[in-house]
């Protein structure tokens, strides 16, 4: 069976975890946590990075930082993972669902203005498949209406929009290091802070509402409860794992680029002949090589295709069910949303197996079998 995902180790993870034990420091913000944070800050050119237990938790931190009041709204794409909306709902916001562009499947910036009301606080964007949203327009709309932009960059680590890293546009951005991501530590995430005025409060929120980080740095002589928060710090065992992977980020990205290009080259003729749409990467975007998806002509054909691949021992998956039509989305008023592109794409998209050490032999098998469909 060629699985959809296979966790990848660069080889030094166990050694660095052993070092974390030898350091006698395995809780949060130990030596490896600091190293991994600095690595990400330097690699991306971000003011401040805080490692978190997941991208969902980094999004929750962003929600707490917004100090949402009852009735406040956030605009989110309907075509995304639950967490993009859930994190803000958990902290009091009403989600307003936006449709996506038919080409990149990113939030449709041309449909945002009518969704802005006097209660809108933030626009949360997702760089779907690690391909940048139209950030110039989105940042312009946000500025005009005094809104905060938060980038859910779970897919987009190392992707660029107009030569600038994704995750460096919004006031805040979030990363995921879940097993399925390019760089992983099993479960993990990060909050990227591009606006320094948010840093001190973010540290407090991540440390159960206490000013413990300031205490550890010697900036206060005792620490106490000062704000809202939760337990969002990543253990140094996982940070050691993450540090090992971040050390190899360039090599990982090269491998993934080769896989993506192989798929594209070996499927493009078949796609044209069969009315299948391959991913579209705008000229001004450098993608993160996070996934390879196909847009099948219909739901029926997609169902047949996934079944056919399974019969041939290939696991392919689809996602996302439109959030505005989910049980929870509907309870939150989502039914009034107009997201025809989301609804259509949700029925037609399928993701092919894609993981860092996918062998050429496996790629040959998948592409040959797809070509026979
Ligand atoms: C767009 C998006 N946001 C958020 C998440 C949640 O990430 P995590 O599992 O690290 O909480 C995911 C997970 O795949 C995702 O795809």
């Amino acid at each position: 069976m060629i699985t959809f995902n296979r966790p990848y180790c660069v080889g030094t993870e166990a050694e660095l975890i052993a070092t974390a034990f030898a350091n006698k420091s395995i809780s949060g913000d130990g030596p490896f946590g600091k190293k991994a944070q600095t690595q990400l800050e330097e690699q991306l050119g971000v003011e401040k990075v805080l490692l978190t237990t997941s991208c969902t938790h980094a999004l929750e931190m962003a929600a707490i930082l917004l100090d949402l009041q009852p009735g406040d709204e956030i605009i989110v794409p309907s075509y995304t993972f639950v967490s993009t909306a859930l994190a803000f709902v958990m902290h009091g916001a009403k989600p307003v669902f936006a449709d996506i562009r038919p080409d990149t499947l990113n939030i449709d910036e041309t449909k945002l203005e009518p969704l802005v009301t006097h209660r809108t606080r933030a626009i949360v964007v997702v760089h779907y498949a690690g391909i940048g949203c139209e950030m110039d327009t989105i940042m312009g709309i946000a500025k005009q209406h005094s809104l905060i932009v938060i980038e859910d960059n779970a897919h987009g680590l190392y992707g660029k929009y107009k030569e600038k890293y994704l995750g460096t546009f919004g006031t805040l951005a979030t990363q995921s290091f879940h097993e399925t991501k390019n760089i992983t530590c099993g479960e993990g995430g990060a909050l990227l802070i591009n606006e320094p005025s948010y840093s001190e409060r973010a540290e407090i929120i991540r440390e159960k509402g206490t000013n413990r980080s300031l205490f550890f740095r010697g900036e206060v002589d005792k620490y106490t409860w000062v704000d809202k928060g939760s337990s969002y710090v990543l253990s140094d065992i996982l940070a050691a794992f993450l540090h090992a992977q971040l050390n190899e980020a360039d090599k990982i990205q090269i491998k993934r680029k080769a896989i993506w290009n192989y798929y594209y080259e070996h499927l493009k003729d078949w796609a044209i002949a069969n009315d299948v749409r391959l991913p579209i990467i705008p000229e001004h975007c450098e993608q993160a090589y996070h996934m390879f998806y196909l847009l099948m002509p219909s739901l029926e054909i997609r169902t047949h295709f996934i079944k056919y691949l399974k019969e041939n021992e290939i696991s392919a998956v689809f996602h996302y069910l439109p959030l505005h039509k989910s049980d929870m989305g509907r309870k939150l008023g989502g039914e009034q949303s107009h997201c025809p592109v989301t609804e259509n794409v949700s029925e037609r998209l399928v993701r092919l197996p894609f993981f860092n050490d996918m062998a050429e032999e496996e790629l040959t098998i998948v592409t040959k079998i797809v070509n026979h469909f």
Side-chain angles (χ1 to χ4, degrees), residues 54-56 80-81 83-84 126 152 154-155 176 178 181 188 320:
S54 64
C55 181
T56 305
T80 181
F81 191 72
S83 302
T84 317
V126 176
D152 176 345
H155 301 179
S176 173
H178 180 263
K181 302 302 184 290
Y320 301 113

Side-chain angles (χ1 to χ4, degrees), residues 169-337:
F169 291 87
T171 299
L172 302 163
T174 61
Q175 299 295 153
S176 173
F177 303 115
H178 180 263
E179 179 187 291
T180 48
K181 302 302 184 290
N182 299 20
I183 304 277
T184 182
C185 60
E187 298 272 1
L191 180 69
L192 277 45
I193 303 167
N194 296 310
E195 175 60 65
S197 60
Y198 284 80
S199 293
E200 188 173 321
R201 199 165 166 242
E203 283 186 335
I204 289 167
I205 290 166
R206 196 176 66 128
E207 274 283 17
K208 302 103 185 160
T210 73
N211 55 359
R212 191 157 138 182
S213 303
L214 297 180
F215 172 72
F216 283 145
R217 284 203 298 271
E219 292 170 29
V220 289
D221 59 4
K222 55 182 179 308
Y223 79 85
T224 184
W225 183 18
V226 291
D227 203 335
K228 286 185 198 167
S230 192
S231 184
Y232 295 131
V233 182
L234 190 74
S235 125
D236 231 41
I237 300 175
L238 292 178
F241 196 113
L242 183 63
H243 178 55
Q245 297 238 332
L246 289 171
N247 283 337
E248 302 293 318
D250 288 348
K251 287 186 200 146
I252 289 173
Q253 289 303 99
I254 289 169
K255 281 176 198 280
R256 295 188 76 98
K257 182 177 180 178
I259 295 167
W260 199 96
N261 287 340
Y262 189 101
Y263 269 141
Y264 195 87
E265 284 308 312
H266 290 80
L267 296 179
K268 62 182 194 307
D269 295 340
W270 165 83
I272 292 168
N274 290 280
D275 199 17
V276 172
R277 215 261 283 133
L278 298 188
I280 293 171
I281 323 292
E283 287 260 314
H284 53 276
C285 291
E286 235 173 87
Q287 61 153 319
Y289 301 101
H290 175 57
M291 72 167 85
F292 197 91
Y293 69 80
L294 308 171
L295 275 182
M296 305 304 287
S298 67
L299 172 62
E300 198 190 357
I301 297 175
R302 181 180 75 177
T303 308
H304 283 311
F305 181 67
I306 292 176
K307 188 166 167 274
Y308 161 81
L309 291 182
K310 198 171 172 200
E311 283 160 7
N312 283 282
E313 306 205 311
I314 295 167
S315 168
V317 299
F318 66 84
H319 72 177
Y320 301 113
L321 299 172
L323 291 185
H324 70 284
K325 294 188 93 178
S326 66
D327 288 352
M328 187 65 177
R330 281 209 304 265
K331 273 187 212 155
L332 294 161
E335 254 172 333
Q336 283 151 21
S337 319

